[in-house]
Amino acid sequence: MQDHSSLKPQQDLSLDVLILAAGLGTRMRSARAKVLHELGGRPLISHVVHTAAQLHPRTIFIVVGHQAPEVEKAVRTETGDENVAFVTQAEQRGTGDAVMAAKTELETADSTLLVLSGDVPLIRPETLAKFIDSHKARGATCSILTVRLENPFGYGRIVRDNEDRFMRIVEQKDASVDEKQIREINAGIYCFETGPLFRALARVKPSNQQGEYYLTDVPSILLADGEKVNVYLHDDAREVAGVSTRAELAEFENLLRRRTIRKLLVEGVTFIDPSHAYVSAEAEFGKDCIIYPDVMIEGKSVIGDGCIIRSGSRITNSRLGSNVMIKDHCVIIDSDIESNCGVGPFAHLRMNARLEESSVVGNFVEVKKSRLGRGSKSMHLTYLGDATIGEKTNIGAGTITCNYDGKNKHETIIEDNVKIGSDTMLVAPVRVGHGAVTAAGSVVTEDVPPDSLVAGVPAKVKKDLKSSRNK
Ligand code: UD1
């Protein structure tokens, strides 16, 4: 028997996907197009495109309108350039009109077209694969994915005849009192054979309460033409629910978050309070990590074995090695922390900050686009920007790399085994040689020779440490 649940590993050249994403989504009460609102840190449209891509269609068409450039950018970020094409619906005159926008590209494609909505983000590729299989197995011209809802308000209803055969879809605003009682609804997910679809669309009229061109008129037109219309009843209503309001978006966020955390608990991550942890579905964890309440882990972060992340910290698109301790209230963005490092409390790492093995950054330290070498420490109240710091170096409290002259950024290089005294200002570009010491309060404007002690404003060499060390 054929396995309907399996996704095909190769490209299916007989399948195209069309995602409707031109609408503004007035109920979001937003200047931003609805499909750009984020769920789990990614725009809604990105979720749908990601799912569609797993079906390996010939082309994914996206109907854009409101904020088309931004929607295109979000899609490109998700997929790269392959197999994606955009068609524009200049004015939003209904879902039928939206599909019509792709007429030139699809009318003669002779493909099966899967139609999805850009605001239905939780639909699973396995469900769609089964739906497409059913469409093909039944030799249908049109298939409609439906679910039964306790509260069907707002959705198009599936009207059947006395023998339970499909007759038509009626929209909420056009439905009679009896039709409003129908619990089976149109999920807005369809398969069409492209030729008959466009021939039927040409006959859709905006003669309804909303004055729109309804895609939902197409199935009954096809039926009247003697074509086969297949109604596919799915059992998971949550999967096909759309986002219309911010309240629904918040519900979805909660659902996704709980699903991710449940999976991580099974995989061996400890959450002190699972209801107060926020972890991206794309994040990866090693074994035996402990996550305290109110931690946010965003984007494609990778957390190694045995890491502890204390309350109030945010980690975005960053990598932690094993046994890293992140104390409370740290912000770590686009950074790389190797094994056995410590960070915080109240530290800020950003723009490719890199902490090498066993190095430590303490409280109120900011590290930007800088590297702290193996076993080095910067424990208190410091700014390290555009700096490269060697091994076993200690950065004293209150140190600042003065990297910006008002126009350009400059680099600071601090070599191995250096001791930077408290309150040192390092005026970049500047290099501090290995084994050197800066006295507290030095303002270092020139390179410091290796193994020397500098002090003062501006700092001058006071002692050759190599000769005194050799005594
Ligand atoms: C539509 C269906 C309804 C179904 C529901 C499922 C129609 C007429 N009705 O309702 O039967 O129960 O979906 O969620 O199709 N869009 C465009 N251009 C437009 C209009 C809409 O691109 O001119 C896009 C929207 O951005 C959205 C999708 O189409 O992604 C669905 O539009 P929406 O207005 O939410 O559909 P409904 O009318 O609620």
Side-chain angles (χ1 to χ4, degrees), residues 19-25 27 34-35 63-66 89 91-99 116-120 152 154-158 169-172 174 185-190 208 210 212-217 240-244:
I19 304 175
L20 307 184
L24 173 64
R27 288 207 284 150
K34 180 172 36 171
V35 295
V63 184
V64 291
H66 279 284
Q89 186 195 20
E91 204 186 321
Q92 281 67 61
R93 300 186 301 169
T95 47
D97 182 61
V99 175
L116 303 173
S117 286
D119 56 1
V120 177
Y155 288 93
R157 312 293 210 285
I158 304 296
I169 302 172
V170 63
E171 294 303 304
Q172 171 76 34
D174 306 301
I185 63 99
N186 166 30
I189 295 170
Y190 320 82
N208 51 60
Q210 304 186 81
E212 287 186 358
Y213 292 88
Y214 287 168
L215 179 59
T216 46
D217 285 349
V240 299
V243 175
S244 294

Side-chain angles (χ1 to χ4, degrees), residues 73-126:
K73 189 166 167 229
V75 171
R76 298 252 183 246
T77 307
E78 186 66 38
T79 61
D81 279 343
E82 348 102 55
N83 307 341
V84 174
F86 297 91
V87 289
T88 305
Q89 186 195 20
E91 204 186 321
Q92 281 67 61
R93 300 186 301 169
T95 47
D97 182 61
V99 175
M100 209 51 164
K103 182 179 174 206
T104 316
E105 288 76 3
L106 282 167
E107 191 178 26
T108 55
D110 195 22
S111 58
T112 298
L113 183 68
L114 173 69
V115 177
L116 303 173
S117 286
D119 56 1
V120 177
L122 298 183
I123 182 78
R124 292 182 312 128
E126 293 80 7

Side-chain angles (χ1 to χ4, degrees), residues 180-461:
K180 283 181 185 151
Q181 305 306 310
I182 300 172
R183 294 253 173 93
E184 187 183 8
I185 63 99
N186 166 30
I189 295 170
Y190 320 82
C191 274
F192 293 104
E193 294 308 300
T194 45
L197 164 66
F198 286 96
R199 286 195 290 279
L201 266 179
R203 285 181 275 157
V204 169
K205 301 267 178 315
S207 46
N208 51 60
Q209 282 295 323
Q210 304 186 81
E212 287 186 358
Y213 292 88
Y214 287 168
L215 179 59
T216 46
D217 285 349
V218 167
S220 49
I221 293 175
L222 290 171
L223 202 63
D225 285 351
E227 302 283 354
K228 185 164 177 104
V229 175
N230 169 35
V231 177
Y232 181 88
L233 181 63
H234 183 53
D235 56 8
D236 185 353
R238 272 198 308 195
E239 212 187 306
V240 299
V243 175
S244 294
T245 61
R246 301 216 189 215
E248 283 163 3
L249 187 62
E251 261 174 48
F252 276 49
E253 188 74 50
N254 215 348
L255 197 78
L256 198 67
R257 189 174 69 76
R258 284 201 310 255
R259 199 190 272 179
T260 303
I261 290 179
R262 255 200 317 270
K263 173 179 143 276
L264 292 170
L265 286 165
V266 171
E267 287 173 6
V269 179
T270 293
F271 287 89
I272 302 293
D273 180 357
S275 59
H276 288 95
Y278 304 84
V279 180
S280 141
E282 298 166 291
E284 291 172 30
F285 287 77
K287 294 266 179 303
D288 293 319
C289 291
I290 304 176
I291 313 298
Y292 280 76
D294 294 328
V295 164
M296 285 199 104
I297 297 178
E298 301 182 318
K300 293 190 169 141
S301 294
V302 178
I303 314 292
D305 291 340
C307 291
I308 299 175
I309 305 175
R310 303 289 309 222
S311 294
S313 289
R314 166 156 77 93
I315 299 176
T316 307
N317 291 324
S318 293
R319 202 191 67 85
L320 272 56
S322 303
N323 303 315
V324 172
M325 171 65 148
I326 308 291
K327 292 185 183 159
D328 311 61
H329 300 285
C330 294
V331 176
I332 298 168
I333 304 171
D334 298 329
S335 294
D336 192 344
I337 301 171
E338 292 185 0
S339 297
N340 305 311
C341 285
V343 177
F346 299 100
H348 186 189
L349 273 58
R350 62 190 178 100
M351 285 177 81
N352 212 6
R354 174 145 189 221
L355 305 191
E356 292 185 351
E357 171 114 23
S358 304
S359 57
V360 187
V361 157
N363 41 200
F364 304 106
V365 174
E366 177 179 351
V367 184
K368 184 219 99 177
K369 218 174 171 182
S370 292
R371 180 159 68 83
L372 189 62
R374 264 173 98 92
S376 290
K377 288 182 179 167
S378 174
M379 299 301 289
H380 335 264
L381 303 151
T382 285
Y383 174 57
L384 301 173
D386 305 295
T388 305
I389 298 156
E391 296 184 3
K392 295 192 180 142
T393 280
N394 190 69
I395 309 290
T399 296
I400 292 175
T401 53
C402 311
N403 59 334
Y404 187 46
D405 62 11
K407 274 195 185 147
N408 296 308
K409 301 277 168 67
H410 301 283
E411 270 186 74
T412 300
I413 296 170
I414 304 172
E415 297 181 350
D416 298 344
N417 295 303
V418 169
K419 289 191 174 52
I420 300 291
S422 297
D423 241 344
T424 296
M425 302 293 121
L426 295 152
V427 184
V430 73
R431 172 185 287 266
V432 182
H434 60 81
V437 176
T438 68
S442 305
V443 176
V444 179
T445 56
E446 290 169 10
D447 288 357
V448 176
D451 298 311
S452 60
L453 166 73
V454 296
V457 181
K460 296 291 174 202
V461 176

